[in-house]
Amino acid sequence: MKTALLETPVIVDSGSSSEILMEIRGLYKNFGKLEVLKGINLNVHKSDVLVLIGPSGSGKSTLLRSVNMLEKPTAGQILFEGNDLTQAKRKDLCRLRERMGMVFQQFNLFPHLKVKDNITISPRKVKGLSAEEAEKKAEALLKRVGLYDKWNEFPGRLSGGQKQRVAIVRALAMDPDMMLFDEPTSALDPEMVGEVLDVMKALAADGMTMMVVTHEMRFARQVADYVLFIDDGQIVEAGPPDQLFDHPQQKRTQDFLNKVL
């Protein structure tokens, strides 16, 4: 196994003046003999919107899932609000992960629970909110994304775009300090993509710290503070959207963008 901390690591940093919320140092992830992440060094600043792009199988989703320890890193450190997630005890890790909302490709809603219960179950059981408090918060969030009329519906009666918006609300109901989006529109019909991206744009405008894995290049250009091009488990190139999309420096980045733009 390679060493977790390089002697002179290149740390990707947006240069934001806000405080650093997360530090990723020498992050490796192996699945057996397959090395998927190969030494990621990254700073995430408060209110940053970082968008991860790259070919399928490049390690983007593995990086995102490692950030909140859904995948346990093979080596390296993940410091979140000053706490090393890779060394945290189970109880402390659960508490820290509550501050990171995660939105998946396939929504992951409980099919047997109504929308209101999907949203309120964690605030009640994990954070100890009363039913009244949890429902009041859920109502406000559903109104924010235009789905208050779906309060009593089951997920099976919702469109894909509506399910994903409910999934975002469910994550927001826990008052996270950071949101992680793993290709949130990849399972949607094209006409439903916009409604989900609009919610994400509004979150970004409100200052939510976000890491987003996506193939939506227009969204990356419009919303990201910093875009990371990842290939073969490494950050090949990173920069502000205008710089990375209009003036890519690495040939691998140029080849990828020529195919997808």
Side-chain angles (χ1 to χ4, degrees):
M1 181 173 63
K2 296 181 180 179
T3 180
L5 296 176
L6 306 180
E7 291 183 5
T8 56
V10 176
I11 300 172
V12 175
D13 190 302
S14 67
S16 170
S17 60
S18 62
E19 66 181 280
I20 294 176
L21 190 67
M22 175 176 285
E23 300 173 69
I24 301 171
R25 295 290 179 267
L27 189 66
Y28 289 84
K29 176 59 183 178
N30 300 348
F31 293 99
K33 294 182 179 180
L34 179 63
E35 195 173 43
V36 178
L37 297 179
K38 304 176 181 179
I40 302 292
N41 294 285
L42 173 67
N43 288 341
V44 181
H45 291 255
K46 191 173 182 179
S47 297
D48 269 0
V49 178
L50 300 184
V51 175
L52 284 57
I53 65 172
S56 297
S58 60
K60 306 183 301 297
S61 292
T62 299
L63 173 56
L64 205 69
R65 292 172 63 85
S66 297
V67 160
N68 71 348
M69 300 296 289
L70 285 177
E71 298 288 355
K72 186 176 180 180
T74 303
Q77 292 179 301
I78 302 169
L79 302 176
F80 178 59
E81 298 180 334
N83 302 280
D84 188 349
L85 300 182
T86 63
Q87 300 297 321
K89 295 180 180 178
R90 181 176 178 81
K91 182 178 180 180
D92 293 332
L93 179 60
C94 290
R95 176 178 53 82
L96 292 166
R97 288 170 69 182
E98 290 173 18
R99 303 181 199 168
M100 284 186 274
M102 182 85 177
V103 178
F104 302 88
Q105 299 177 37
Q106 298 294 339
F107 325 128
N108 288 12
L109 299 176
F110 296 113
H112 62 291
L113 297 181
K114 293 181 178 180
V115 164
K116 65 177 181 180
D117 298 315
N118 263 283
I119 297 169
T120 59
I121 186 171
S122 289
R124 287 190 294 108
K125 291 186 176 295
V126 177
K127 300 195 74 173
L129 268 63
S130 68
E132 182 180 358
E133 291 172 321
E135 288 184 4
K136 185 176 181 180
K137 176 177 288 188
E139 288 176 2
L141 289 169
L142 282 172
K143 288 176 181 177
R144 182 176 172 183
V145 301
L147 288 178
Y148 181 63
D149 61 325
K150 305 300 181 183
W151 176 257
N152 278 309
E153 296 284 6
F154 286 97
R157 295 179 59 87
L158 304 180
S159 69
Q162 290 169 338
K163 290 177 184 176
Q164 196 60 293
R165 282 186 282 164
V166 171
I168 292 172
V169 166
R170 180 181 58 182
L172 292 174
M174 293 294 287
D175 295 319
D177 296 331
M178 182 177 184
M179 287 284 288
L180 308 174
F181 294 87
D182 187 9
E183 299 192 36
T185 60
S186 65
L188 302 179
D189 292 333
E191 65 268 24
M192 298 177 183
V193 170
E195 63 191 54
V196 174
L197 294 183
D198 285 344
V199 172
M200 295 170 65
K201 290 175 184 177
L203 287 176
D206 288 343
M208 175 61 73
T209 308
M210 299 162 59
M211 287 183 68
V212 184
V213 173
T214 186
H215 294 290
E216 299 290 338
M217 298 300 148
R218 181 181 297 180
F219 172 84
R221 183 184 283 274
Q222 291 177 345
V223 180
D225 295 303
Y226 219 64
V227 180
L228 285 65
F229 173 62
I230 296 178
D231 189 35
D232 193 28
Q234 298 176 306
I235 300 174
V236 175
E237 187 166 355
D242 289 348
Q243 175 184 312
L244 189 133
F245 285 113
D246 296 336
H247 306 287
Q249 299 300 302
Q250 302 297 322
K251 186 177 186 306
R252 182 66 189 94
T253 313
Q254 295 167 4
D255 291 343
F256 174 79
L257 293 176
N258 284 338
K259 293 177 181 177
V260 300
L261 294 181

